[in-house]
Amino acid sequence: MYTDNLMGANAFGKHFSVNDQHRSVLQEQLRLAYNHEEETLYIKWEGEVSSSELRQGYAHIMNMVHTYKPQKWIMDLQSRLAIEKEDQQWVFKYVFPQVLRTVNKNVFVAIVMPVFAYNSVVNEIDGDELIDGDNFMIIHHFLYKEESRRWLHEMAETDLKMA
């Protein structure tokens, strides 16, 4: 099991970069795309993902976040096997706060996942990681991708009206 005791962005930079020589291992596990028209980052994880691969994958995701500063995300986890609890906590403790600091606006994350996996994710969140100043990361879980897209559209419209 890979453990990471580093803080913040160092959790990425000291271990992986987008130029990592082993990044090809993620070609089958991670698909990333930014849709300019929808202003949405699409993330799809598939299969078994080790701790090392997860961290490397999030280094790629953070590269996309730095480039596009997406407020809307669809993260499809339907085909990904369960990850270790420590890896799940790492995402909430290091990745999501870094996303909020980078985007510097509210971020809406629609997670598409099977019903059986929902409770394990929700029970581990305390919420402090999802706040940065006046900005929030709002996460909602869905069974279907189209449902998540509708929610993101509604949230973006509401967020723009409140700004």
Side-chain angles (χ1 to χ4, degrees):
M1 164 57 85
Y2 175 85
T3 57
D4 188 344
N5 297 322
L6 299 174
M7 298 295 290
N10 290 337
F12 299 108
K14 295 235 177 173
H15 297 289
F16 303 105
S17 74
V18 293
N19 297 319
D20 191 298
Q21 62 181 341
H22 301 294
R23 71 183 187 177
S24 63
V25 299
L26 291 169
Q27 287 179 348
E28 294 179 19
Q29 289 98 343
L30 178 62
R31 303 237 184 325
L32 292 174
Y34 182 75
N35 183 309
H36 290 278
E37 188 175 298
E38 295 177 10
E39 298 179 329
T40 301
L41 177 62
Y42 284 87
I43 302 164
K44 183 171 181 142
W45 286 98
E46 295 181 326
E48 187 173 354
V49 180
S50 70
S51 293
S52 177
E53 291 167 336
L54 183 83
R55 282 159 174 72
Q56 185 184 19
Y58 275 104
H60 290 286
I61 291 168
M62 286 307 299
N63 187 47
M64 296 284 279
V65 170
H66 284 286
T67 301
Y68 299 108
K69 305 210 181 336
Q71 281 187 266
K72 298 184 291 182
W73 295 28
I74 293 182
M75 187 176 299
D76 186 344
L77 305 178
Q78 292 182 92
S79 301
R80 187 188 73 186
L81 299 178
I83 60 172
E84 296 289 331
K85 182 178 178 180
E86 292 84 8
D87 292 331
Q88 201 173 72
Q89 291 172 339
W90 180 84
V91 172
F92 282 95
K93 187 174 180 180
Y94 296 114
V95 177
F96 288 164
Q98 183 65 33
V99 168
L100 278 171
R101 285 189 292 274
T102 301
V103 175
N104 200 27
K105 294 180 182 177
N106 291 331
V107 176
F108 304 97
V109 181
I111 299 179
V112 182
M113 63 191 314
V115 175
F116 69 84
Y118 178 76
N119 282 336
S120 68
V121 171
V122 174
N123 291 335
E124 301 301 326
I125 301 172
D126 74 14
D128 290 342
E129 303 90 349
L130 306 178
I131 301 170
D132 182 57
D134 292 335
N135 298 313
F136 297 90
M137 178 172 281
I138 300 161
I139 299 173
H140 197 66
H141 299 87
F142 299 91
L143 295 175
Y144 305 102
K145 193 173 181 178
E146 284 306 315
E147 183 184 14
S148 70
R149 291 176 77 194
R150 280 191 295 275
W151 177 78
L152 282 177
H153 180 71
E154 289 172 15
M155 291 298 101
E157 291 294 319
T158 302
D159 195 47
L160 288 174
K161 289 177 185 174
M162 297 176 79

